[in-house]
Amino acid sequence: MINKRLFRAKEKLRSEQVKIEFPNQNAIEGRLEMVLRTLYLLFNEGYYSAGKDITLRKEVCLEAMRLTNLLLENKSTNQPAVNALISLMCFHASRFEARVNINGETILYQDQNESLWNDELIIQGECFLNRASVGDKLSKYHLEAGIAYWHTLKQDTNEKWENILQLYNKLLQLEYSPIAALNRTYALSKANGKKEAITAAEKLNLHDNHLYHALLGNLYTGVDNSEALSHFRTALKLTKSKADKTVISKNITNLGSS
């Protein structure tokens, strides 16, 4: 069966005089963006699998990193955006061991054990980010890698969160996404305070998104705990992720006992 298909394919190529040749540099660059976007989405699916019982799927992330590294091995595809993407992946992968506990439950960034972060991957991420800093093209991968870099500095400082906020501002101007907008409001809360962040978050009106309500629950905590509880309960109803349910339930319990 396979031999017949191969024979028919060869006959078709011969009859239609299709030329089999390596694409030129312009063609490669035209196709590269789609390849990078696919690898980016593949990594994200592993990093946060919202519909799965297991939120973090390391094997998917590592496969995305392997494929991205293959692009770096070819002179034609070793472009700044590719280096920026692998830099982003390295920074995120550096926190894999600190992101979930032994029960598979998600550990939020502010609660992670910094000693479990992989310093070697952080250094690699910095190296790739430096290599990406050439030319005059700024991609979303450059900006997201910059954001991820600042997250490798655990200590809360005004400089850290102001830089993250400004990078999110540029990212949203370059390519808007609701999740990036949500993440920006968290950075805004750290840089300028919760009240300003609440105002910005509520303007997004993502009422069917559990992450939206979870974020508002966190922002309202300590400002208006009854409002925080309302958002956490809505988030709990909307989420399909077992890991997210566990985190949100703990927030509800903590608020209920306060």
Side-chain angles (χ1 to χ4, degrees):
M1 181 66 72
I2 294 176
N3 286 334
K4 288 182 178 179
R5 288 182 178 178
L6 287 173
F7 177 79
R8 287 196 295 267
K10 290 178 181 178
E11 285 298 306
K12 186 175 180 64
L13 291 172
R14 187 179 297 109
S15 63
E16 296 185 6
Q17 297 183 335
V18 176
K19 291 183 178 180
I20 301 176
E21 56 187 10
F22 197 78
N24 59 37
Q25 188 61 35
N26 288 335
I28 290 174
E29 291 181 0
R31 300 173 188 179
L32 186 58
E33 174 53 35
M34 183 58 67
V35 173
L36 292 182
R37 186 171 293 272
T38 301
L39 294 172
Y40 172 82
L41 292 173
L42 178 63
F43 185 90
N44 281 355
E45 172 57 27
Y47 190 73
Y48 180 72
S49 301
K52 305 285 185 181
D53 285 342
I54 301 175
T55 298
L56 177 62
R57 300 171 65 194
K58 294 180 186 177
E59 74 282 0
V60 176
C61 293
L62 293 176
E63 178 62 10
M65 294 177 75
R66 184 187 72 82
L67 294 172
T68 305
N69 269 307
L70 290 178
L71 295 176
L72 295 176
E73 294 175 5
N74 189 298
K75 183 178 179 180
S76 299
T77 54
N78 189 355
Q79 302 292 327
V82 181
N83 282 273
L85 178 57
I86 193 64
S87 171
L88 169 63
M89 292 175 175
C90 285
F91 288 139
H92 282 320
S94 72
R95 292 191 281 112
F96 277 175
E97 300 307 316
R99 192 163 170 258
V100 293
N101 63 21
I102 57 175
N103 299 318
E105 298 171 349
T106 301
I107 301 175
L108 298 178
Y109 171 74
Q110 62 269 22
D111 299 323
Q112 289 177 7
N113 182 352
E114 186 180 351
S115 67
L116 296 177
W117 292 359
N118 188 315
D119 292 333
E120 183 178 345
L121 279 172
I122 292 173
I123 292 171
Q124 287 181 14
E126 291 174 355
C127 180
F128 286 123
L129 189 55
N130 286 331
R131 293 178 185 175
S133 302
V134 296
D136 56 0
K137 291 183 180 180
L138 182 67
S139 69
K140 63 176 288 184
Y141 311 115
H142 286 84
L143 296 170
E144 291 197 29
I147 292 168
Y149 160 74
W150 282 102
H151 277 89
T152 65
L153 308 178
K154 187 66 180 291
Q155 186 177 4
D156 276 353
T157 63
N158 290 334
E159 179 189 18
K160 170 184 173 177
W161 290 108
E162 184 60 34
N163 273 283
I164 291 174
L165 178 60
Q166 294 307 319
L167 286 166
Y168 269 122
N169 289 341
K170 292 178 182 177
L171 178 62
L172 291 171
Q173 290 173 356
L174 184 66
E175 183 176 318
Y176 181 86
S177 82
I179 298 302
L182 276 177
N183 291 336
R184 176 192 176 275
T185 59
Y186 179 77
L188 182 63
S189 74
K190 302 293 288 186
N192 296 353
K194 285 189 172 184
K195 290 186 178 180
E196 185 174 336
I198 288 170
T199 300
E202 289 181 337
K203 289 179 180 178
L204 299 176
N205 294 321
L206 301 172
H207 297 293
D208 295 330
N209 188 315
H210 80 276
L211 296 174
Y212 169 77
H213 291 284
L215 173 65
L216 280 171
N218 280 299
L219 293 178
Y220 269 112
T221 298
V223 176
D224 184 339
N225 286 351
S226 64
E227 189 70 17
L229 274 171
S230 176
H231 280 291
F232 279 135
R233 286 167 180 158
T234 301
L236 190 60
K237 291 178 182 177
L238 290 173
T239 186
K240 297 178 181 178
S241 166
K242 182 179 179 181
D244 285 352
K245 285 180 184 290
T246 300
V247 173
I248 295 167
S249 295
K250 286 181 179 179
N251 286 327
I252 292 172
T253 300
N254 292 337
L255 276 174
S257 60
S258 62

